[in-house]
Amino acid sequence: MSADVVVLDYGSGNLRSAERALAAAGANVRVTDDLAAAAAADGLVVPGVGAYAACMAGIEALGAGPVIAERVAAGRPVLGICVGMQVLFEHGDEHGVVTKGLGLLPGGVTRLAATRLPHMGWNTVRSPRESVLFAGLGPQSRFYFVHSYAMGDPAALSAAGAVVTTAHHDTDFVAAVERGALSAAQFHPEKSADTGAALLRNWLATLSTGG
């Protein structure tokens, strides 16, 4: 049977493209702001585009933070995408304004130390052998990024017990993270063609195995 997946609609994110990509990967997917549905689904996807503060404001207005946190604490899969990944950290610093995040991952999100921003387009990633998200994907697999901010301290995440995948754009940054039931990608798997589809299938497979 297909896994039931909710794409959380809190007013920000590539909702329909995420919905289509997850459906193509085999999920029974629904886009909704219904928190009961978000809590009950086999998997919850937290999308996000634009400013960190605006995404957090949308999550707080909906009252979705506790639902996301409770799922993670209960070992129930959550996948954050782009700014939906960034808000999982403790804070985001944009234009000198620090916004509190959900605090489900340690550290903060800051502006990339790069000469060309935004970091836009296809880039390879470096994933560790134990990664579930990138299982079966070769070292030259490319994913589509659009961002100017990222978590830039992979070592701190690794020290906290996370499986960390990195990418490089003038500097190393966290491209994806996996810790327990929580998975997240800075890139857009729904815009990453066959490699993104493979990653989504890998994530969906965890929903039937308990993560």
Side-chain angles (χ1 to χ4, degrees):
M1 294 178 62
S2 298
D4 290 324
V5 174
V6 160
V7 177
L8 184 65
D9 182 2
Y10 62 92
S12 179
N14 294 314
L15 301 175
R16 297 306 167 187
S17 57
E19 178 186 31
R20 288 192 296 269
L22 286 157
N28 177 24
V29 57
R30 175 184 176 194
V31 176
T32 182
D33 61 0
D34 183 338
L35 295 182
D42 297 323
L44 175 64
V45 175
V46 182
V49 296
Y52 189 107
C55 286
M56 276 305 304
I59 288 171
E60 290 170 354
L62 185 60
V67 172
I68 299 168
E70 287 163 12
R71 284 190 63 97
V72 173
R76 308 202 54 228
V78 172
L79 174 64
I81 296 174
C82 198
V83 186
M85 167 181 171
Q86 295 179 3
V87 296
L88 299 172
F89 288 93
E90 293 170 331
H91 58 86
D93 185 345
E94 291 187 347
H95 309 294
V97 177
V98 177
T99 302
K100 183 180 179 182
L102 295 176
L104 300 176
L105 292 170
V109 172
T110 57
R111 187 176 175 88
L112 281 171
T115 55
R116 291 180 297 105
L117 291 176
H119 171 218
M120 182 182 295
W122 297 86
N123 202 348
T124 56
V125 302
R126 298 184 298 277
S127 59
R129 187 176 303 170
E130 62 269 30
S131 170
V132 173
L133 285 181
F134 295 88
L137 290 167
Q140 297 306 309
S141 298
R142 295 160 66 85
F143 297 88
Y144 189 79
F145 290 83
V146 185
H147 65 118
S148 297
Y149 296 82
M151 202 289 180
D153 191 356
L157 272 179
S158 296
V163 175
V164 180
T165 293
T166 61
H168 188 84
H169 180 66
D170 289 353
T171 186
D172 286 344
F173 64 90
V174 177
V177 60
E178 302 161 63
R179 189 171 74 167
L182 187 58
S183 303
Q186 178 60 65
F187 52 84
H188 287 276
E190 77 280 9
K191 295 183 177 181
S192 296
D194 291 345
T195 52
L199 182 140
L200 291 175
R201 287 194 297 270
N202 284 342
W203 180 69
L204 291 174
T206 72
L207 308 191
S208 59
T209 60

